[in-house]
Amino acid sequence: MVPLQVVRTHNKSLKYLGARLVAIFVGGTSGIGLYTAREFVRHTPTPTVYLVGRNDTSARQIIQDLKLLNKAADIHFIKADVSLLKEVDRVCDFIQHEVSHVNILFLTCGIFTLNRREETVEGLDRKLSLHYYGRMRFIQNLIPHLANASHVGNRSTFLARVVSVLGAGHETKLHLDDLDLREHYSVEACDVHATTMTSLMVKEFALRYPSVTFIHTYPGIVKSGIAREAGPVLRHIITAAMFLGRLWMVSKQESGERHLFAATSDKFAPNTEARVGEISKGAYLLNWDDSEVGNEALLEDYLVNGVGDTVWTHTKKIFSGALDYHET
């Protein structure tokens, strides 16, 4: 566990990173994305921030509130439904034309639902697309801008980091013959696949792009808006569970502070000396308190046996299929 005072001391020192930091918060208009964006704006001198979400009414108020924390912040909202890969591409294309580098890509888009498989027009389950495929598409699209960030500034290795907030430490065996869960879909299987494939991918990406740090976190129990699309009965159950578990909950501010620490601390440096076949130190699986977690026995077995590459090949095939849909 990283003591909270250490986290706060570090965050107060972020001015040393200098100006021109660019951060993208996908799912940044509510929950952990918003809490982290707030701390980022508070502690950096002249940041450029892109909030990606669906609620433009909330976004306008959020931008006003963030500007009160830092008048020098340049804050933008991009309205998008990122359960669709075409929308992910549109958002990335806009950002790529606006900035030359991206320092932090922070991914929290997701939903809480107990529904059966709900396919988007691209043929993907909506929840799995939000929790995994859409996030991986953001990474793939913005890797050149993240790599550019690793060479910007006065330090030889500048800040370039991807953080995906989901379920690190809860990795379980995959249905390797049905990675997109067309035959084995359930809410539990969806959670397992999104979590385990994300943990594999942060390790695979760290090998391929050693100047960038890749992090997968488990946030603990945090009050957020992830249940906003649940039915009224389920929302009441979640509210009751939150009340009963309040002693174990991570506060909004602490969650934001700890995720900002993960997104900026030298403790989670990239692996600039990674070689093909090595399990990179530039990939980190973190618990809510910034300590390292993960089912390493399973993940290492998967990586040694090429499952990480299999998952990435599958993921790129899914991307192609979704884009082909829009061209027909």
Side-chain angles (χ1 to χ4, degrees):
M1 176 177 181
V2 178
L4 185 56
Q5 188 55 51
V6 171
V7 169
R8 289 175 172 166
T9 299
H10 164 80
N11 291 348
K12 289 177 181 178
S13 74
L14 288 181
K15 289 182 175 58
Y16 87 97
L17 290 174
R20 299 179 58 211
L21 290 179
V22 178
I24 302 166
F25 295 89
V26 182
T29 56
S30 65
I32 296 166
L34 173 58
Y35 311 152
T36 307
R38 185 179 293 139
E39 297 305 314
F40 177 76
V41 169
R42 188 196 312 275
H43 292 295
T44 54
T46 55
T48 296
V49 174
Y50 292 92
L51 305 173
V52 182
R54 292 185 298 160
N55 192 328
D56 46 2
T57 302
S58 295
R60 285 193 292 270
Q61 183 61 54
I62 288 167
I63 290 173
Q64 291 180 21
D65 294 342
L66 293 178
K67 291 289 285 186
L68 292 176
L69 294 175
N70 186 343
K71 292 181 180 180
D74 185 18
I75 307 170
H76 307 269
F77 172 67
I78 305 175
K79 185 175 182 177
D81 176 3
V82 296
S83 68
L84 299 177
L85 299 183
K86 183 181 180 181
E87 282 283 273
V88 173
D89 286 355
R90 179 181 64 81
V91 172
C92 291
D93 183 66
F94 175 81
I95 292 171
Q96 288 164 336
H97 285 87
E98 291 288 306
V99 295
S100 62
H101 67 277
V102 172
N103 297 98
I104 297 173
L105 174 58
F106 197 85
L107 303 160
T108 59
C109 50
I111 54 173
F112 184 90
T113 176
L114 299 179
N115 294 339
R116 296 179 179 179
R117 183 182 179 92
E118 179 187 350
E119 288 202 356
T120 69
V121 295
E122 295 174 336
L124 302 176
D125 173 65
R126 183 165 177 253
K127 181 177 181 180
L128 192 55
S129 186
L130 282 167
H131 288 210
Y132 177 73
Y133 293 114
R135 299 186 189 203
M136 296 304 111
R137 186 65 170 177
F138 269 106
I139 297 171
Q140 183 192 48
N141 287 346
L142 294 173
I143 273 292
H145 278 55
L146 287 156
N148 286 345
S150 68
H151 303 296
V152 174
N154 297 321
R155 299 193 301 164
S156 58
T157 303
F158 202 62
L159 181 66
R161 199 157 295 187
V162 175
V163 181
S164 187
V165 181
L166 193 61
H170 295 81
E171 300 82 12
T172 310
K173 288 185 178 181
L174 300 167
H175 295 287
L176 294 176
D177 59 345
D178 185 30
L179 290 173
D180 58 349
L181 296 174
R182 292 189 177 277
E183 303 297 331
H184 298 86
Y185 190 86
S186 68
V187 172
E188 181 181 5
C190 183
D191 291 338
V192 164
H193 273 228
T195 292
T196 306
M197 292 195 294
T198 296
S199 291
L200 285 170
M201 285 301 97
V202 297
K203 292 176 180 288
E204 288 288 333
F205 279 133
L207 286 171
R208 291 168 168 78
Y209 307 102
S211 66
V212 180
T213 294
F214 297 87
I215 297 174
H216 177 196
T217 78
Y218 170 68
I221 305 172
V222 184
K223 185 176 182 180
S224 69
I226 197 168
R228 59 190 173 275
E229 295 186 28
V233 174
L234 184 55
R235 281 201 302 271
H236 286 310
I237 293 173
I238 294 170
T239 300
M242 289 285 188
F243 177 78
L244 293 173
R246 63 193 183 279
L247 295 178
W248 295 274
M249 288 182 67
V250 183
S251 73
K252 297 177 182 180
Q253 181 174 342
E254 181 174 352
S255 180
E257 291 171 326
R258 287 191 174 279
H259 278 96
L260 179 61
F261 178 81
T264 56
S265 172
D266 286 341
K267 179 180 177 68
F268 309 114
N271 184 8
T272 55
E273 299 180 358
R275 295 188 296 272
V276 175
E278 289 184 333
I279 296 177
S280 174
K281 295 180 181 178
Y284 301 89
L285 310 181
L286 302 181
N287 206 348
W288 70 271
D289 60 0
D290 297 307
S291 61
E292 295 194 46
V293 294
N295 185 345
E296 290 298 334
L298 173 70
L299 295 173
E300 288 185 24
D301 179 69
Y302 272 170
L303 290 168
V304 167
N305 288 287
V307 175
D309 188 62
T310 297
V311 169
W312 182 231
T313 298
H314 157 80
T315 303
K316 290 188 291 184
K317 184 178 179 180
I318 290 292
F319 293 163
S320 297
L323 297 180
D324 287 346
Y325 169 85
H326 291 287
E327 293 175 359
T328 57

